[in-house]
Amino acid sequence: MGIGSRSSTNRKPSDSMRLIMTTFVGIVFGFFIGVSFPALTTKLNLPSSLLPAIDISYIQEKYAGGNAPSFVKNNNSISSKHQLINDTLKIWVPSNPRGAERLPPEIIEAETDLYLRRLWGQPSEDLTSKPKYLVTFTVGYSQRYNIDANVKKFSENFTIVLFHYDGKTTEWGEFEWSKRAIHVSVRKQTKWWYAKRFLHPDIVAPYDYIFIWDEDLGVEHFNAEEYLKLVKKHGLEISQPGLEPNKGLTWQMTKRRGDREVHKETEEKPGWCSDPHLPPCAAFVEIMAPVFSRDAWHCVWHMIQNDLVHGWGLDFALRKCVEPAHEKIGVVDSQWIIHQSVPSLGNQGESQSGKAPWQGLNLPYGLLHLSCIQEKYIDSSITSQDQFPSDATKIWVPTNPRGAERLPPGIVNAESDLFLRRLWGLPSEDLTFKPKYLVTFTVGYEQKKNIDAAVKKFSKDFTILLFHYDGRTTEWDEFEWSKQAIHVSVHKQTKWWYAKRFLHPDIVVPYDYIFMWDEDLGVENFNAEEYLKLVRKHGLEISQPALEPSKSTKAVCWNMTRRREHSEVHKEAVEPGKCKYPLLPPCAAFVEIMAPVFSRNAWRCVWHMIQNEFVHGWGLDFAFRKCVEPAHEKIGVVDAQWIVHQGIPSLGNQGEAQTTGKPAWRAVKERCGMEWRMFQGRLTNAEKGYYKSKGIDFSNLLVHN
């Protein structure tokens, strides 16, 4: 008894201590489990019954085609009932380019190029070389021989771009180099109008130097490669070749000097220069033949005003973009040109009040443009509060667009438009109305009648833009609407190649909706204005007209895009055996790439997702959903306005027969499939990279098919 009594007495404190310790450890363990629960659920393959608060539908959206967490596959029934804890899995990157915040950073292509791509073969093998420089000429066909002489002064290190103000482009095919050039044709538009719309800094980013030249320059004593050697040697960011002094000069600064390679300052007439380091005595080149470094162009582009098309006044303001301007702006004397002063642009004007056409383009409106830009610059400089701390007279605005920090915010035009301007009259009176929508067609001339029928379904509220893959543009003038359209012609390039280069979000920003259509669509039962009414009514950000399967020459591949009778719009479909998740493509959040329609905001995101070397766009249709939220509600098919897919293999016919003996169309199709797989791989890896950067380990949750 005594032992038992002693034993009992000794155990009670020990048991109590164990109970206390067990309780304490349990509380601590439970606390850490509670705190760590969100992280644990991303690392462990937990049963769905233990995850009542996880938004399964959102995770489904992140992993299409089988790349989904296993607990999602085990339970679809709760897919739309619950909210993700703290939105842990949603992608939102504020440091991404504006509009692309929903994308993982590694998939974003914020800059592109003007390199021509093949339609077949490995994308990585498309380019045997990458041009380092860009030269543009604004031309009329009557100056073709002079331009031919100019182009021959530029080596294969240059991409050639011609801006056509007279509507004649096909005719340039007589020159072999023209078949590799990029042609943009818009009637009666100027060099600076073109430059603002088609030379966005994000598009020309690969080029070290950009030549923006007139058509009337004699180049007998000029060599582009030698010119650039001197530009680099003397540290010039903005330059021009010297002008032969015997051919009519306006400024002493741009007159060629025979005793030196480069000069950066001069003496002008008494009273012309208030400061020897300011224009026109220094820091000055003319607008007829300027050459910009990449960084300088970044700034100058933002200073070009959308409504001032002649560029007068820019020459005096270029100095705002480099520092110190009197050292980084100069004239190259040993590579010189002759200004032939051909009044070709003046002849594009119209007679006004009995005046000749050229008079409407010159005084007083030329001086009006000069005074306008000077007034805008002075006003915006006065109101700018951001300056260099060390120099109160210098402007530096970190919140300005990249490259334009030296400019006062009031002068910065970070966005543009595709509205056609007059060459005469007050700029404020150019536009009697502004189109609200944009429609693009990628076309060959053989489909002219089909495109004519399609264009007539779009009202004057639409800007019409044709991308020509066959090099034939002038022939389209048989249609009156073609003379007001914008034409871009590059041999054997695709819709998505064009879209990446010529539909930059900053350029198409005035348009509420952007239609990107193929050429082989029957539109008898389609009306664009009625279509957009339904798009707005149903809150669609990305859409397409339904496809009528009974009339389409080519079978409708997806039930999602098949027309439904007695329906305005549908957003979901049933695809037996093709859809693991009902709110993911191709059963929802899905349209095809033949006739998509994007809202302004959706396009800003989609543009950043298009990869530069993937020209066919395969895989994009399954990824559009990344750009809107919730995708299954904001992506849909409009049944009440429907089209017919005629299935004409025009693009395949632009391929080339392979040495393996494959027909052209098969090699193109193989490239399409290759791009699909590569794009899906990039997107998956980009999302993995994003989650890894956030400390979320998905390695145990991904199921790879």
Side-chain angles (χ1 to χ4, degrees):
M1 288 291 294
I3 296 174
S5 175
R6 187 173 61 247
S7 176
S8 175
T9 303
N10 291 340
R11 268 200 318 267
K12 285 180 180 178
S14 177
D15 290 344
S16 299
M17 184 60 68
R18 286 195 190 97
L19 180 61
I20 292 170
M21 290 300 295
T22 300
T23 302
F24 176 75
V25 170
I27 291 171
V28 172
F29 181 73
F31 171 77
F32 281 108
I33 286 291
V35 170
S36 304
F37 181 74
L40 288 173
T41 60
T42 64
K43 296 181 180 179
L44 302 176
N45 189 7
L46 299 176
S48 58
S49 60
L50 297 181
L51 303 173
I54 298 294
D55 183 355
I56 304 300
S57 65
Y58 187 79
I59 300 174
Q60 287 176 353
E61 287 193 19
K62 289 295 172 194
Y63 294 94
N67 291 335
S70 56
F71 66 76
V72 174
K73 293 189 174 186
N74 293 336
N75 193 339
N76 280 325
S77 63
I78 61 173
S79 63
S80 60
K81 298 180 181 178
H82 305 293
Q83 179 66 35
L84 180 67
I85 296 176
N86 296 326
D87 287 341
T88 305
L89 301 182
K90 289 191 178 183
I91 292 178
W92 185 263
V93 187
S95 58
N96 277 0
R98 178 166 60 98
E101 294 88 353
R102 297 185 188 280
L103 300 178
E106 292 178 19
I107 199 64
I108 289 174
E109 296 264 49
E111 296 178 340
T112 185
D113 55 61
L114 293 172
Y115 305 149
L116 276 60
R117 297 276 176 175
R118 302 177 306 174
L119 304 182
W120 61 92
Q122 288 281 351
S124 60
E125 298 174 359
D126 283 349
L127 306 176
T128 55
S129 65
K130 295 181 179 180
K132 296 160 54 179
Y133 316 116
L134 173 68
V135 58
T136 77
F137 299 96
T138 306
V139 303
Y141 185 59
S142 62
Q143 289 297 305
R144 62 189 180 279
Y145 296 121
N146 196 57
I147 293 299
D148 180 50
N150 272 255
V151 168
K152 290 174 179 175
K153 295 290 185 173
F154 293 85
S155 70
E156 292 184 356
N157 268 334
F158 286 81
T159 293
I160 308 296
V161 177
L162 297 191
F163 298 133
H164 301 265
Y165 58 72
D166 63 352
K168 293 185 176 182
T169 54
T170 306
E171 294 85 344
W172 289 79
E174 67 184 88
F175 304 111
E176 191 61 31
W177 55 261
S178 175
K179 298 173 184 177
R180 300 183 299 275
I182 295 168
H183 300 265
V184 184
S185 176
V186 193
R187 275 178 166 77
K188 298 186 178 183
Q189 301 304 303
T190 69
K191 173 166 73 175
W192 298 104
W193 182 93
Y194 279 113
K196 187 67 175 181
R197 278 78 184 169
F198 300 105
L199 299 180
H200 189 288
D202 291 346
I203 308 301
V204 300
Y207 301 106
D208 294 341
Y209 293 93
I210 300 151
F211 292 61
I212 303 181
W213 279 23
D214 288 356
E215 63 182 340
D216 57 345
L217 304 175
V219 292
E220 182 181 354
H221 304 281
F222 178 82
N223 178 282
E225 297 281 358
E226 295 301 317
Y227 178 91
L228 287 176
K229 288 179 182 178
L230 294 171
V231 163
K232 294 171 184 175
K233 176 181 176 180
H234 292 272
L236 300 180
E237 296 287 320
I238 300 175
S239 63
Q240 75 162 72
L243 295 176
E244 169 55 49
N246 299 325
K247 296 295 181 179
L249 293 173
T250 303
W251 307 105
Q252 292 296 313
M253 178 62 190
T254 54
K255 181 188 296 186
R256 171 182 172 248
R257 299 181 184 178
D259 59 347
R260 63 193 66 190
E261 291 181 336
V262 165
H263 72 270
K264 301 180 181 180
E265 56 186 38
T266 192
E267 291 185 3
E268 266 291 356
K269 297 175 183 178
W272 279 33
C273 295
S274 60
D275 186 316
H277 287 166
L278 292 181
C281 287
F284 177 78
V285 297
E286 297 188 60
I287 58 174
M288 71 180 73
V291 180
F292 303 96
S293 70
R294 179 193 297 108
D295 290 342
W297 179 246
H298 241 289
C299 175
V300 171
W301 184 89
H302 283 92
M303 188 165 55
I304 299 172
Q305 306 295 288
N306 290 323
D307 56 339
L308 306 183
V309 297
H310 292 291
W312 281 42
L314 276 177
D315 42 6
F316 276 72
L318 296 176
R319 64 189 177 89
K320 305 292 185 178
C321 286
V322 293
E323 180 67 31
H326 65 279
E327 294 181 7
K328 294 190 175 181
I329 299 178
V331 175
V332 178
D333 297 290
S334 59
Q335 293 293 321
W336 50 280
I337 59 176
I338 296 173
H339 187 205
Q340 299 166 344
S341 299
V342 177
S344 49
L345 183 62
N347 293 333
Q348 296 296 307
E350 291 187 7
S351 298
Q352 300 287 310
S353 304
K355 296 179 181 178
W358 66 268
Q359 289 179 305
L361 275 63
N362 208 334
L363 297 173
Y365 297 114
L367 291 181
L368 174 64
H369 279 215
L370 173 59
S371 63
C372 280
I373 192 170
Q374 288 178 334
E375 182 177 331
K376 286 185 179 183
Y377 197 94
I378 292 170
D379 288 347
S380 56
S381 296
I382 292 172
T383 59
S384 176
Q385 300 298 315
D386 299 277
Q387 298 174 331
F388 282 114
S390 60
D391 189 341
T393 66
K394 296 186 186 298
I395 293 172
W396 186 262
V397 188
T399 55
N400 274 1
R402 178 169 60 93
E405 294 88 352
R406 297 184 187 279
L407 301 178
I411 199 67
V412 172
N413 269 17
E415 298 173 340
S416 190
D417 56 59
L418 293 173
F419 305 149
L420 276 59
R421 297 276 177 174
R422 302 178 306 173
L423 304 183
W424 61 92
L426 289 170
S428 60
E429 298 175 357
D430 282 350
L431 305 176
T432 56
F433 74 98
K434 296 179 180 179
K436 297 190 293 184
Y437 318 114
L438 173 67
V439 58
T440 77
F441 298 95
T442 306
V443 303
Y445 185 60
E446 290 182 358
Q447 292 300 307
K448 60 182 179 180
K449 292 182 179 179
N450 202 52
I451 294 299
D452 179 49
V455 167
K456 290 174 180 176
K457 295 291 185 173
F458 294 86
S459 70
K460 68 176 184 178
D461 272 336
F462 287 80
T463 293
I464 308 296
L465 173 53
L466 298 191
F467 297 132
H468 301 265
Y469 58 73
D470 63 352
R472 300 179 68 181
T473 55
T474 308
E475 294 89 335
W476 289 80
D477 280 356
E478 66 183 89
F479 305 112
E480 193 60 33
W481 55 261
S482 175
K483 298 174 184 177
Q484 286 83 47
I486 297 169
H487 300 265
V488 182
S489 176
V490 192
H491 276 270
K492 297 187 177 183
Q493 300 304 303
T494 69
K495 173 165 75 175
W496 298 101
W497 183 92
Y498 280 114
K500 188 68 174 181
R501 279 80 185 167
F502 298 101
L503 298 180
H504 190 287
D506 290 346
I507 306 302
V508 300
V509 70
Y511 301 107
D512 294 342
Y513 293 94
I514 299 147
F515 291 62
M516 289 183 51
W517 280 22
D518 289 355
E519 62 181 346
D520 58 344
L521 304 174
V523 293
E524 183 180 352
N525 299 282
F526 177 83
N527 178 281
E529 298 282 358
E530 295 301 316
Y531 178 91
L532 288 176
K533 288 179 183 178
L534 293 172
V535 163
R536 292 190 179 99
K537 176 181 177 181
H538 292 272
L540 300 181
E541 296 287 322
I542 301 175
S543 63
Q544 75 162 75
L547 300 176
E548 174 50 58
S550 65
K551 297 185 178 181
S552 294
T553 304
K554 186 176 180 180
V556 177
C557 294
W558 306 104
N559 284 336
M560 179 62 190
T561 56
R562 186 185 299 263
R563 175 179 172 244
R564 298 181 186 178
E565 294 186 9
H566 313 300
S567 167
E568 286 187 341
V569 165
H570 70 269
K571 301 179 181 181
E572 300 177 16
V574 176
E575 289 277 5
K578 293 182 180 179
C579 291
K580 296 181 179 179
Y581 312 110
L583 299 184
L584 288 184
C587 285
F590 177 77
V591 298
E592 297 188 59
I593 58 174
M594 71 179 72
V597 180
F598 303 96
S599 70
R600 177 193 299 110
N601 291 336
W603 177 245
R604 191 171 278 279
C605 175
V606 170
W607 184 89
H608 283 93
M609 189 165 53
I610 299 171
Q611 307 293 286
N612 289 327
E613 72 271 44
F614 295 166
V615 297
H616 293 291
W618 280 39
L620 278 175
D621 43 5
F622 276 69
F624 288 152
R625 63 193 175 87
K626 306 291 184 178
C627 286
V628 293
E629 177 73 26
H632 64 279
E633 294 180 6
K634 294 190 176 181
I635 300 178
V637 175
V638 178
D639 297 293
Q641 294 293 322
W642 50 278
I643 58 176
V644 173
H645 186 205
Q646 299 164 343
I648 298 171
S650 50
L651 184 62
N653 294 336
Q654 295 296 307
E656 291 186 7
Q658 305 297 290
T659 55
T660 57
K662 294 178 183 177
W665 66 267
R666 183 174 295 279
V668 171
K669 189 172 183 179
E670 288 179 356
R671 168 74 175 251
C672 292
M674 190 186 310
E675 289 188 8
W676 167 288
R677 294 186 294 274
M678 294 174 72
F679 178 76
Q680 291 297 329
R682 284 188 189 181
L683 186 56
T684 297
N685 289 335
E687 291 190 331
K688 287 182 182 178
Y690 170 80
Y691 291 124
K692 183 177 180 180
S693 72
K694 298 297 181 182
I696 302 173
D697 181 7
F698 270 66
S699 59
N700 294 325
L701 294 177
L702 292 175
V703 178
H704 302 285
N705 287 347

